[in-house]
Amino acid sequence: AQSVAQPEDQVNVAEGNPLTVKCTYSVSGNPYLFWYVQYPNRGLQFLLKYITGDNLVKGSYGFEAEFNKSQTSFHLKKPSALVSDSALYFCAVREPAGNMLTFGGGTRLMVKP
Amino acid sequence: NAGVTQTPKFQVLKTGQSMTLQCAQDMNHEYMSWYRQDPGMGLRLIHYSVGAGITDQGEVPNGYNVSRSTTEDFPLRLLSAAPSQTSVYFCASRKKSGSGNTIYFGEGSWLTVV
């Protein structure tokens, strides 16, 4: 069975500093990995995904994520955080042949001025 | 392009009542699914459909029914609401063909069962 772990319930960072939101996964075979962001009282918005190819994936709003197969990780990063990045972030995984997307529990990112 | 549309946005039910959450997408996506979101648990899949006339259970299907009579619509029915079904519900869709297709989510339906 596939699973996703986001070990931090909340990440606090000062505006302008780099941020990392951690994600590890477990899946049979090669994974499809996704990051979504959720603002208060809204649906999930797609940020980026890894399917194959370059391990460093660039996405929306200046975010990027690095796929590390040996560590089964897909950490979300941004070089310089903005207050407007404060939101709930979800990592998700799917097997290529599978129908089900499995989500992590979410990490709340708080960026302080 | 409206994307994925869910109604109602907010609903309060009494225990034992029934209701239907509506979901429609205008992107001609084959795959549609329903998730519930609870604090600290991420999103959990309730039911999903890979095309009209085909549905299957997800991780937490008990207490919910679905049907898929058309490609566009995928309603979620609560037959006899329970307080444990208080949650935020999200409908989602994606195309079947192509690898790693992105899932698109509706804006959510906040349900409270008292």
Side-chain angles (χ1 to χ4, degrees), chain A residues 32 34 36 38 41-44 46 49 51 88 90 94 98-101 103-106, chain B residues 9 31 35 37 40-43 45 48 50 90 94 99-103 105-107 110:
Chain A
Y32 290 166
F34 303 81
Y36 285 84
Q38 184 181 32
N41 300 323
R42 302 296 301 274
L44 277 70
F46 170 75
K49 65 183 177 183
I51 304 302
L88 189 56
F90 289 97
R94 180 168 70 86
N99 296 319
M100 296 173 59
L101 191 65
F103 285 85
Chain B
K9 181 89 171 179
Y31 284 24
Y35 292 83
Q37 182 181 18
M41 302 186 75
L43 276 74
L45 182 65
Y48 66 97
V50 300
F90 289 97
R94 69 174 175 93
S99 62
N101 282 316
T102 301
I103 287 183
F105 288 85
E107 289 291 293
W110 274 252

Side-chain angles (χ1 to χ4, degrees), chain B residues 3-87:
Chain B
V4 180
T5 304
Q6 291 180 233
T7 56
K9 181 89 171 179
F10 300 98
Q11 182 72 49
V12 178
L13 283 179
K14 294 182 179 179
T15 297
Q17 285 186 318
S18 63
M19 78 157 297
T20 299
L21 299 178
Q22 301 292 344
C23 176
Q25 53 91 10
D26 61 359
M27 298 175 283
N28 202 30
H29 286 174
E30 294 89 349
Y31 284 24
M32 295 187 74
S33 51
W34 277 101
Y35 292 83
R36 60 177 287 172
Q37 182 181 18
D38 302 290
M41 302 186 75
L43 276 74
R44 292 181 292 168
L45 182 65
I46 304 171
H47 285 284
Y48 66 97
S49 168
V50 300
I54 305 169
T55 63
D56 207 345
Q57 295 181 350
E59 182 183 357
V60 287
N62 292 339
Y64 308 94
N65 279 356
V66 292
S67 60
R68 185 93 180 271
S69 57
T70 67
T71 298
E72 294 78 18
D73 300 301
F74 191 46
L76 178 72
R77 298 182 184 85
L78 285 70
L79 302 177
S80 178
S84 61
Q85 293 179 303
T86 294
S87 187

Side-chain angles (χ1 to χ4, degrees), chain A residues 21-53:
Chain A
V21 182
K22 296 179 180 177
C23 170
T24 58
Y25 66 90
S26 174
V27 70
S28 299
N30 296 319
Y32 290 166
L33 293 158
F34 303 81
W35 275 102
Y36 285 84
V37 60
Q38 184 181 32
Y39 298 100
N41 300 323
R42 302 296 301 274
L44 277 70
Q45 297 178 28
F46 170 75
L47 274 180
L48 52 81
K49 65 183 177 183
Y50 171 83
I51 304 302
T52 186

